Amino acid sequence: MKKIVLGFLMMMTVLAGQSFADTIVWRGPTHTLTLGLNEDDISHVEFPEEIVNITLENSDYVDILVVEGYGNKAFRMRSLLPKMATRMFMTGASGTTYIVVLTTDVPYRQFVEIVDGQKIDSKKRQIAAQFNVNDMIRAMAEDRDVPGVIRETYVVPNWFTGAGLTFELSEVWQSPKYTGLVVHVQNEYPTANEVNIPAISIPKTGEWGVLRKAAMENMRLAGKGKPSDQGVMFLLFER
């Protein structure tokens, strides 16, 4: 019974280590990866593709073992010295070379997965390109991140004014096709005031393109100082 319990605990320890695996994003041939090793524990490192060649700058510094069953994508590494740093050059089946610095000078990681950031970015752009005007407006209204869409805080108080209203630009969303603006609207009148979107003269810039859609959840704002005296407007331009 003790052996079974011990085996179960060991299995849970391995699973727990993998569930908290660290992910390192590789950004291209000019990007150098850094992996922290130590003498006492083994690091399990997985690459995004099959590795067909390994060149180690100093083989006396690091012990490297290919893990079976992973298609030459996974390796177990351990430092042979209490303090060291060396480089490793790994060539993938695609011809890509991954430059890796193995060192004891950064925190040790037990389980590391290296992912191809170029493929991730490409996939994000593909997803974002499929979004239409309504999808983008909906995501902005729900304050929901979209793969391939870059969100930037861009606060411009009193961006423009009109008819007792002030408009503050607060955020810019950029996709491969659209530019979205999040605008906070404040009623400056003591009485209720309605936002007339067609009558608004929006500052223009050539970077945004043509305005395709404007939306606002509540266009009738209460008097200033009362509940609901502010609202949020969403503007979407197509480039």
Side-chain angles (χ1 to χ4, degrees):
M1 183 62 181
K2 290 183 178 179
K3 291 183 179 180
I4 294 175
V5 172
L6 180 60
F8 175 76
L9 290 174
M10 290 178 65
M11 179 180 71
M12 290 300 294
T13 301
V14 171
L15 291 176
Q18 293 191 359
S19 64
F20 291 100
D22 291 297
T23 299
I24 298 178
V25 179
W26 177 74
R27 293 296 181 187
T30 59
H31 179 214
T32 299
L33 301 166
T34 301
L35 298 178
L37 305 181
N38 68 28
E39 278 189 299
D40 302 321
D41 298 295
I42 294 173
S43 290
H44 178 102
V45 183
E46 293 187 13
F47 283 81
E49 64 172 319
E50 177 190 358
I51 300 300
V52 296
N53 185 67
I54 300 175
T55 301
L56 194 59
E57 197 170 48
N58 196 322
S59 58
D60 295 330
Y61 288 4
V62 182
D63 183 25
I64 300 176
L65 173 69
V66 179
V67 183
E68 295 184 4
Y70 285 81
N72 273 11
K73 293 182 180 180
F75 303 85
R76 298 219 171 115
M77 307 178 187
R78 183 174 62 87
S79 173
L80 296 176
L81 298 172
K83 188 171 179 61
M84 68 85 195
T86 189
R87 287 184 301 174
M88 176 175 64
F89 302 87
M90 309 188 84
T91 304
S94 66
T96 297
T97 296
Y98 303 90
I99 303 174
V100 185
V101 173
L102 304 173
T103 180
T104 55
D105 293 334
V106 299
Y108 155 78
R109 301 183 181 190
Q110 179 182 356
F111 191 96
V112 179
E113 181 181 12
I114 297 169
V115 297
D116 189 338
Q118 294 179 317
K119 289 184 178 179
I120 293 174
D121 292 341
S122 176
K123 188 65 176 179
K124 286 182 177 180
R125 287 192 293 269
Q126 291 175 15
I127 294 173
Q130 295 173 0
F131 263 57
N132 59 32
V133 172
N134 293 328
D135 293 330
M136 189 78 163
I137 283 283
R138 189 177 300 110
M140 292 169 65
E142 295 174 354
D143 195 24
R144 172 168 48 87
D145 289 333
V146 179
V149 175
I150 299 172
R151 299 175 57 175
E152 296 180 312
T153 301
Y154 202 91
V155 179
V156 182
N158 295 318
W159 184 40
F160 65 97
T161 60
L165 302 166
T166 59
F167 298 82
E168 177 182 285
L169 177 62
S170 65
E171 194 173 11
V172 178
W173 294 46
Q174 296 278 10
S175 81
K177 188 176 182 180
Y178 301 110
T179 295
L181 307 180
V182 180
V183 183
H184 290 266
V185 187
Q186 168 71 59
N187 183 12
E188 298 294 337
Y189 286 167
T191 56
N193 197 359
E194 189 163 335
V195 182
N196 185 1
I197 292 180
I200 294 173
S201 179
I202 300 167
K204 296 180 180 179
T205 172
E207 297 178 2
W208 295 343
V210 179
L211 180 63
R212 292 301 185 195
K213 191 159 188 174
M216 191 170 179
E217 292 182 3
N218 180 22
M219 291 188 290
R220 186 170 178 79
L221 304 178
K224 186 173 183 180
K226 299 177 182 178
S228 302
D229 66 342
Q230 300 181 40
V232 182
M233 178 187 295
F234 306 101
L235 306 173
L236 196 62
F237 298 80
E238 184 176 359
R239 295 191 297 279

mmCIF file of all heavy atoms in Angstrom, residues 86-122:
data_model
loop_
_atom_site.group_PDB
_atom_site.id
_atom_site.type_symbol
_atom_site.label_atom_id
_atom_site.label_comp_id
_atom_site.label_asym_id
_atom_site.label_seq_id
_atom_site.Cartn_x
_atom_site.Cartn_y
_atom_site.Cartn_z
ATOM 1 N N THR A 86 26.983 28.840 -21.523
ATOM 2 C CA THR A 86 27.482 28.412 -22.827
ATOM 3 C C THR A 86 26.364 28.514 -23.846
ATOM 4 O O THR A 86 25.186 28.628 -23.478
ATOM 5 C CB THR A 86 28.022 26.974 -22.773
ATOM 6 O OG1 THR A 86 28.694 26.679 -24.008
ATOM 7 C CG2 THR A 86 26.903 25.964 -22.556
ATOM 8 N N ARG A 87 26.712 28.477 -25.102
ATOM 9 C CA ARG A 87 25.708 28.565 -26.155
ATOM 10 C C ARG A 87 25.485 27.210 -26.817
ATOM 11 O O ARG A 87 26.406 26.398 -26.905
ATOM 12 C CB ARG A 87 26.123 29.587 -27.212
ATOM 13 C CG ARG A 87 26.003 31.030 -26.761
ATOM 14 C CD ARG A 87 26.331 31.987 -27.888
ATOM 15 N NE ARG A 87 27.683 31.791 -28.394
ATOM 16 C CZ ARG A 87 28.192 32.426 -29.459
ATOM 17 N NH1 ARG A 87 27.456 33.289 -30.120
ATOM 18 N NH2 ARG A 87 29.429 32.189 -29.840
ATOM 19 N N MET A 88 24.245 27.037 -27.304
ATOM 20 C CA MET A 88 23.883 25.826 -28.025
ATOM 21 C C MET A 88 23.170 26.246 -29.306
ATOM 22 O O MET A 88 22.305 27.120 -29.292
ATOM 23 C CB MET A 88 22.954 24.968 -27.148
ATOM 24 C CG MET A 88 22.428 23.714 -27.828
ATOM 25 S SD MET A 88 21.466 22.707 -26.649
ATOM 26 C CE MET A 88 20.098 23.822 -26.294
ATOM 27 N N PHE A 89 23.558 25.628 -30.413
ATOM 28 C CA PHE A 89 22.939 25.920 -31.711
ATOM 29 C C PHE A 89 22.181 24.684 -32.156
ATOM 30 O O PHE A 89 22.764 23.614 -32.349
ATOM 31 C CB PHE A 89 24.013 26.301 -32.736
ATOM 32 C CG PHE A 89 24.850 27.491 -32.326
ATOM 33 C CD1 PHE A 89 25.984 27.319 -31.536
ATOM 34 C CD2 PHE A 89 24.480 28.767 -32.706
ATOM 35 C CE1 PHE A 89 26.749 28.409 -31.138
ATOM 36 C CE2 PHE A 89 25.251 29.874 -32.324
ATOM 37 C CZ PHE A 89 26.382 29.692 -31.543
ATOM 38 N N MET A 90 20.876 24.832 -32.327
ATOM 39 C CA MET A 90 20.025 23.691 -32.685
ATOM 40 C C MET A 90 19.368 23.974 -34.030
ATOM 41 O O MET A 90 18.692 24.994 -34.203
ATOM 42 C CB MET A 90 18.974 23.448 -31.602
ATOM 43 C CG MET A 90 19.567 23.371 -30.208
ATOM 44 S SD MET A 90 18.389 22.853 -28.949
ATOM 45 C CE MET A 90 18.460 21.075 -29.125
ATOM 46 N N THR A 91 19.567 23.065 -34.981
ATOM 47 C CA THR A 91 18.996 23.228 -36.318
ATOM 48 C C THR A 91 17.737 22.377 -36.438
ATOM 49 O O THR A 91 17.758 21.180 -36.165
ATOM 50 C CB THR A 91 20.000 22.811 -37.402
ATOM 51 O OG1 THR A 91 21.208 23.555 -37.235
ATOM 52 C CG2 THR A 91 19.426 23.077 -38.790
ATOM 53 N N GLY A 92 16.642 23.017 -36.842
ATOM 54 C CA GLY A 92 15.387 22.310 -36.993
ATOM 55 C C GLY A 92 15.240 21.696 -38.371
ATOM 56 O O GLY A 92 16.009 22.007 -39.299
ATOM 57 N N ALA A 93 14.248 20.830 -38.526
ATOM 58 C CA ALA A 93 14.005 20.173 -39.813
ATOM 59 C C ALA A 93 13.668 21.181 -40.904
ATOM 60 O O ALA A 93 13.885 20.925 -42.084
ATOM 61 C CB ALA A 93 12.875 19.159 -39.664
ATOM 62 N N SER A 94 13.145 22.346 -40.511
ATOM 63 C CA SER A 94 12.795 23.386 -41.485
ATOM 64 C C SER A 94 14.013 24.168 -41.953
ATOM 65 O O SER A 94 13.919 24.977 -42.873
ATOM 66 C CB SER A 94 11.789 24.362 -40.861
ATOM 67 O OG SER A 94 12.395 25.078 -39.784
ATOM 68 N N GLY A 95 15.157 23.929 -41.312
ATOM 69 C CA GLY A 95 16.371 24.681 -41.634
ATOM 70 C C GLY A 95 16.612 25.840 -40.678
ATOM 71 O O GLY A 95 17.641 26.510 -40.745
ATOM 72 N N THR A 96 15.666 26.087 -39.794
ATOM 73 C CA THR A 96 15.787 27.161 -38.810
ATOM 74 C C THR A 96 16.839 26.813 -37.755
ATOM 75 O O THR A 96 16.916 25.674 -37.306
ATOM 76 C CB THR A 96 14.438 27.392 -38.101
ATOM 77 O OG1 THR A 96 13.484 27.830 -39.068
ATOM 78 C CG2 THR A 96 14.561 28.430 -37.007
ATOM 79 N N THR A 97 17.644 27.802 -37.371
ATOM 80 C CA THR A 97 18.617 27.612 -36.308
ATOM 81 C C THR A 97 18.163 28.358 -35.062
ATOM 82 O O THR A 97 17.893 29.555 -35.117
ATOM 83 C CB THR A 97 20.010 28.122 -36.725
ATOM 84 O OG1 THR A 97 20.489 27.346 -37.826
ATOM 85 C CG2 THR A 97 21.002 27.998 -35.575
ATOM 86 N N TYR A 98 18.069 27.624 -33.963
ATOM 87 C CA TYR A 98 17.707 28.213 -32.676
ATOM 88 C C TYR A 98 18.984 28.413 -31.873
ATOM 89 O O TYR A 98 19.702 27.452 -31.605
ATOM 90 C CB TYR A 98 16.751 27.295 -31.913
ATOM 91 C CG TYR A 98 15.495 26.960 -32.661
ATOM 92 C CD1 TYR A 98 15.441 25.831 -33.496
ATOM 93 C CD2 TYR A 98 14.358 27.755 -32.553
ATOM 94 C CE1 TYR A 98 14.282 25.514 -34.191
ATOM 95 C CE2 TYR A 98 13.192 27.448 -33.248
ATOM 96 C CZ TYR A 98 13.162 26.321 -34.068
ATOM 97 O OH TYR A 98 12.027 26.011 -34.751
ATOM 98 N N ILE A 99 19.273 29.651 -31.509
ATOM 99 C CA ILE A 99 20.444 29.960 -30.691
ATOM 100 C C ILE A 99 19.980 30.025 -29.239
ATOM 101 O O ILE A 99 19.099 30.813 -28.888
ATOM 102 C CB ILE A 99 21.089 31.290 -31.114
ATOM 103 C CG1 ILE A 99 21.473 31.248 -32.596
ATOM 104 C CG2 ILE A 99 22.316 31.581 -30.253
ATOM 105 C CD1 ILE A 99 21.981 32.570 -33.126
ATOM 106 N N VAL A 100 20.574 29.187 -28.395
ATOM 107 C CA VAL A 100 20.132 29.077 -27.003
ATOM 108 C C VAL A 100 21.319 29.305 -26.072
ATOM 109 O O VAL A 100 22.368 28.689 -26.228
ATOM 110 C CB VAL A 100 19.530 27.679 -26.724
ATOM 111 C CG1 VAL A 100 18.951 27.628 -25.308
ATOM 112 C CG2 VAL A 100 18.465 27.332 -27.755
ATOM 113 N N VAL A 101 21.145 30.194 -25.106
ATOM 114 C CA VAL A 101 22.142 30.388 -24.054
ATOM 115 C C VAL A 101 21.717 29.548 -22.856
ATOM 116 O O VAL A 101 20.625 29.727 -22.309
ATOM 117 C CB VAL A 101 22.251 31.866 -23.651
ATOM 118 C CG1 VAL A 101 23.176 32.019 -22.440
ATOM 119 C CG2 VAL A 101 22.774 32.702 -24.809
ATOM 120 N N LEU A 102 22.556 28.608 -22.464
ATOM 121 C CA LEU A 102 22.314 27.768 -21.293
ATOM 122 C C LEU A 102 23.161 28.315 -20.148
ATOM 123 O O LEU A 102 24.385 28.431 -20.286
ATOM 124 C CB LEU A 102 22.694 26.319 -21.591
ATOM 125 C CG LEU A 102 22.006 25.684 -22.809
ATOM 126 C CD1 LEU A 102 22.592 24.312 -23.091
ATOM 127 C CD2 LEU A 102 20.499 25.597 -22.589
ATOM 128 N N THR A 103 22.535 28.651 -19.038
ATOM 129 C CA THR A 103 23.275 29.311 -17.972
ATOM 130 C C THR A 103 22.678 29.029 -16.602
ATOM 131 O O THR A 103 21.483 28.729 -16.476
ATOM 132 C CB THR A 103 23.313 30.839 -18.205
ATOM 133 O OG1 THR A 103 24.038 31.476 -17.146
ATOM 134 C CG2 THR A 103 21.909 31.423 -18.283
ATOM 135 N N THR A 104 23.509 29.147 -15.599
ATOM 136 C CA THR A 104 23.047 29.038 -14.212
ATOM 137 C C THR A 104 22.777 30.418 -13.622
ATOM 138 O O THR A 104 22.422 30.529 -12.447
ATOM 139 C CB THR A 104 24.106 28.323 -13.354
ATOM 140 O OG1 THR A 104 25.366 29.014 -13.494
ATOM 141 C CG2 THR A 104 24.278 26.879 -13.785
ATOM 142 N N ASP A 105 22.937 31.453 -14.424
ATOM 143 C CA ASP A 105 22.780 32.828 -13.925
ATOM 144 C C ASP A 105 21.333 33.311 -13.939
ATOM 145 O O ASP A 105 21.048 34.408 -13.445
ATOM 146 C CB ASP A 105 23.638 33.789 -14.753
ATOM 147 C CG ASP A 105 25.131 33.554 -14.550
ATOM 148 O OD1 ASP A 105 25.492 33.038 -13.473
ATOM 149 O OD2 ASP A 105 25.917 33.869 -15.464
ATOM 150 N N VAL A 106 20.417 32.533 -14.533
ATOM 151 C CA VAL A 106 18.996 32.886 -14.510
ATOM 152 C C VAL A 106 18.248 31.749 -13.814
ATOM 153 O O VAL A 106 18.768 30.640 -13.702
ATOM 154 C CB VAL A 106 18.441 33.117 -15.941
ATOM 155 C CG1 VAL A 106 19.180 34.256 -16.622
ATOM 156 C CG2 VAL A 106 18.519 31.844 -16.768
ATOM 157 N N PRO A 107 17.027 32.006 -13.324
ATOM 158 C CA PRO A 107 16.302 30.971 -12.573
ATOM 159 C C PRO A 107 16.122 29.676 -13.352
ATOM 160 O O PRO A 107 15.826 29.679 -14.546
ATOM 161 C CB PRO A 107 14.952 31.640 -12.282
ATOM 162 C CG PRO A 107 15.248 33.107 -12.285
ATOM 163 C CD PRO A 107 16.299 33.293 -13.336
ATOM 164 N N TYR A 108 16.302 28.573 -12.641
ATOM 165 C CA TYR A 108 16.120 27.245 -13.217
ATOM 166 C C TYR A 108 14.643 26.999 -13.514
ATOM 167 O O TYR A 108 13.758 27.387 -12.745
ATOM 168 C CB TYR A 108 16.642 26.201 -12.222
ATOM 169 C CG TYR A 108 16.025 24.828 -12.357
ATOM 170 C CD1 TYR A 108 16.426 23.961 -13.368
ATOM 171 C CD2 TYR A 108 15.038 24.410 -11.468
ATOM 172 C CE1 TYR A 108 15.863 22.698 -13.482
ATOM 173 C CE2 TYR A 108 14.473 23.147 -11.572
ATOM 174 C CZ TYR A 108 14.882 22.300 -12.582
ATOM 175 O OH TYR A 108 14.318 21.058 -12.697
ATOM 176 N N ARG A 109 14.362 26.343 -14.632
ATOM 177 C CA ARG A 109 12.996 25.990 -15.000
ATOM 178 C C ARG A 109 12.922 24.486 -15.241
ATOM 179 O O ARG A 109 13.732 23.932 -15.978
ATOM 180 C CB ARG A 109 12.569 26.741 -16.270
ATOM 181 C CG ARG A 109 12.634 28.262 -16.127
ATOM 182 C CD ARG A 109 12.139 28.947 -17.385
ATOM 183 N NE ARG A 109 12.213 30.389 -17.278
ATOM 184 C CZ ARG A 109 11.674 31.228 -18.157
ATOM 185 N NH1 ARG A 109 11.017 30.736 -19.198
ATOM 186 N NH2 ARG A 109 11.774 32.518 -18.009
ATOM 187 N N GLN A 110 11.944 23.860 -14.635
ATOM 188 C CA GLN A 110 11.851 22.403 -14.712
ATOM 189 C C GLN A 110 11.295 21.928 -16.047
ATOM 190 O O GLN A 110 11.760 20.949 -16.620
ATOM 191 C CB GLN A 110 10.946 21.894 -13.579
ATOM 192 C CG GLN A 110 10.756 20.374 -13.590
ATOM 193 C CD GLN A 110 9.810 19.920 -12.489
ATOM 194 O OE1 GLN A 110 9.354 20.714 -11.688
ATOM 195 N NE2 GLN A 110 9.526 18.634 -12.466
ATOM 196 N N PHE A 111 10.263 22.605 -16.548
ATOM 197 C CA PHE A 111 9.596 22.170 -17.780
ATOM 198 C C PHE A 111 9.397 23.394 -18.659
ATOM 199 O O PHE A 111 8.692 24.323 -18.278
ATOM 200 C CB PHE A 111 8.246 21.528 -17.440
ATOM 201 C CG PHE A 111 7.596 20.818 -18.596
ATOM 202 C CD1 PHE A 111 7.737 19.452 -18.774
ATOM 203 C CD2 PHE A 111 6.848 21.526 -19.520
ATOM 204 C CE1 PHE A 111 7.139 18.801 -19.838
ATOM 205 C CE2 PHE A 111 6.244 20.888 -20.593
ATOM 206 C CZ PHE A 111 6.396 19.514 -20.756
ATOM 207 N N VAL A 112 10.025 23.407 -19.821
ATOM 208 C CA VAL A 112 9.982 24.575 -20.709
ATOM 209 C C VAL A 112 9.478 24.158 -22.087
ATOM 210 O O VAL A 112 9.967 23.186 -22.671
ATOM 211 C CB VAL A 112 11.378 25.223 -20.858
ATOM 212 C CG1 VAL A 112 11.315 26.422 -21.797
ATOM 213 C CG2 VAL A 112 11.918 25.648 -19.501
ATOM 214 N N GLU A 113 8.509 24.913 -22.584
ATOM 215 C CA GLU A 113 8.029 24.698 -23.945
ATOM 216 C C GLU A 113 8.355 25.931 -24.774
ATOM 217 O O GLU A 113 7.952 27.048 -24.434
ATOM 218 C CB GLU A 113 6.517 24.459 -23.962
ATOM 219 C CG GLU A 113 5.970 24.202 -25.366
ATOM 220 C CD GLU A 113 4.477 23.994 -25.388
ATOM 221 O OE1 GLU A 113 3.825 24.264 -24.363
ATOM 222 O OE2 GLU A 113 3.949 23.583 -26.439
ATOM 223 N N ILE A 114 9.095 25.726 -25.857
ATOM 224 C CA ILE A 114 9.446 26.819 -26.754
ATOM 225 C C ILE A 114 8.448 26.824 -27.913
ATOM 226 O O ILE A 114 8.261 25.803 -28.575
ATOM 227 C CB ILE A 114 10.882 26.664 -27.276
ATOM 228 C CG1 ILE A 114 11.863 26.743 -26.094
ATOM 229 C CG2 ILE A 114 11.218 27.735 -28.306
ATOM 230 C CD1 ILE A 114 13.273 26.345 -26.433
ATOM 231 N N VAL A 115 7.804 27.954 -28.138
ATOM 232 C CA VAL A 115 6.810 28.063 -29.204
ATOM 233 C C VAL A 115 7.286 29.059 -30.249
ATOM 234 O O VAL A 115 8.035 29.993 -29.949
ATOM 235 C CB VAL A 115 5.432 28.487 -28.651
ATOM 236 C CG1 VAL A 115 4.894 27.438 -27.703
ATOM 237 C CG2 VAL A 115 5.509 29.836 -27.941
ATOM 238 N N ASP A 116 6.854 28.842 -31.481
ATOM 239 C CA ASP A 116 7.256 29.688 -32.602
ATOM 240 C C ASP A 116 6.362 30.927 -32.641
ATOM 241 O O ASP A 116 5.207 30.872 -33.051
ATOM 242 C CB ASP A 116 7.126 28.895 -33.910
ATOM 243 C CG ASP A 116 7.741 29.631 -35.094
ATOM 244 O OD1 ASP A 116 7.876 30.864 -35.028
ATOM 245 O OD2 ASP A 116 8.075 28.969 -36.094
ATOM 246 N N GLY A 117 6.905 32.056 -32.212
ATOM 247 C CA GLY A 117 6.137 33.299 -32.178
ATOM 248 C C GLY A 117 5.722 33.776 -33.556
ATOM 249 O O GLY A 117 4.692 34.429 -33.710
ATOM 250 N N GLN A 118 6.512 33.454 -34.585
ATOM 251 C CA GLN A 118 6.170 33.877 -35.942
ATOM 252 C C GLN A 118 4.896 33.189 -36.416
ATOM 253 O O GLN A 118 4.031 33.805 -37.048
ATOM 254 C CB GLN A 118 7.338 33.568 -36.884
ATOM 255 C CG GLN A 118 8.583 34.388 -36.583
ATOM 256 C CD GLN A 118 9.732 34.049 -37.516
ATOM 257 O OE1 GLN A 118 9.996 32.895 -37.818
ATOM 258 N NE2 GLN A 118 10.437 35.063 -37.972
ATOM 259 N N LYS A 119 4.755 31.898 -36.100
ATOM 260 C CA LYS A 119 3.545 31.168 -36.481
ATOM 261 C C LYS A 119 2.342 31.658 -35.692
ATOM 262 O O LYS A 119 1.237 31.771 -36.213
ATOM 263 C CB LYS A 119 3.746 29.667 -36.263
ATOM 264 C CG LYS A 119 4.706 29.017 -37.247
ATOM 265 C CD LYS A 119 4.789 27.519 -37.026
ATOM 266 C CE LYS A 119 5.730 26.866 -38.045
ATOM 267 N NZ LYS A 119 5.839 25.398 -37.822
ATOM 268 N N ILE A 120 2.560 31.956 -34.407
ATOM 269 C CA ILE A 120 1.474 32.468 -33.571
ATOM 270 C C ILE A 120 0.982 33.805 -34.098
ATOM 271 O O ILE A 120 -0.224 34.037 -34.226
ATOM 272 C CB ILE A 120 1.945 32.611 -32.109
ATOM 273 C CG1 ILE A 120 2.227 31.229 -31.506
ATOM 274 C CG2 ILE A 120 0.902 33.343 -31.271
ATOM 275 C CD1 ILE A 120 2.829 31.288 -30.125
ATOM 276 N N ASP A 121 1.922 34.702 -34.425
ATOM 277 C CA ASP A 121 1.539 36.017 -34.944
ATOM 278 C C ASP A 121 0.805 35.896 -36.269
ATOM 279 O O ASP A 121 -0.162 36.616 -36.533
ATOM 280 C CB ASP A 121 2.783 36.897 -35.116
ATOM 281 C CG ASP A 121 3.420 37.268 -33.778
ATOM 282 O OD1 ASP A 121 2.721 37.154 -32.751
ATOM 283 O OD2 ASP A 121 4.591 37.658 -33.770
ATOM 284 N N SER A 122 1.269 34.971 -37.132
ATOM 285 C CA SER A 122 0.616 34.761 -38.419
ATOM 286 C C SER A 122 -0.811 34.266 -38.233
ATOM 287 O O SER A 122 -1.741 34.718 -38.913
ATOM 288 C CB SER A 122 1.415 33.757 -39.255
ATOM 289 O OG SER A 122 0.751 33.481 -40.472
#
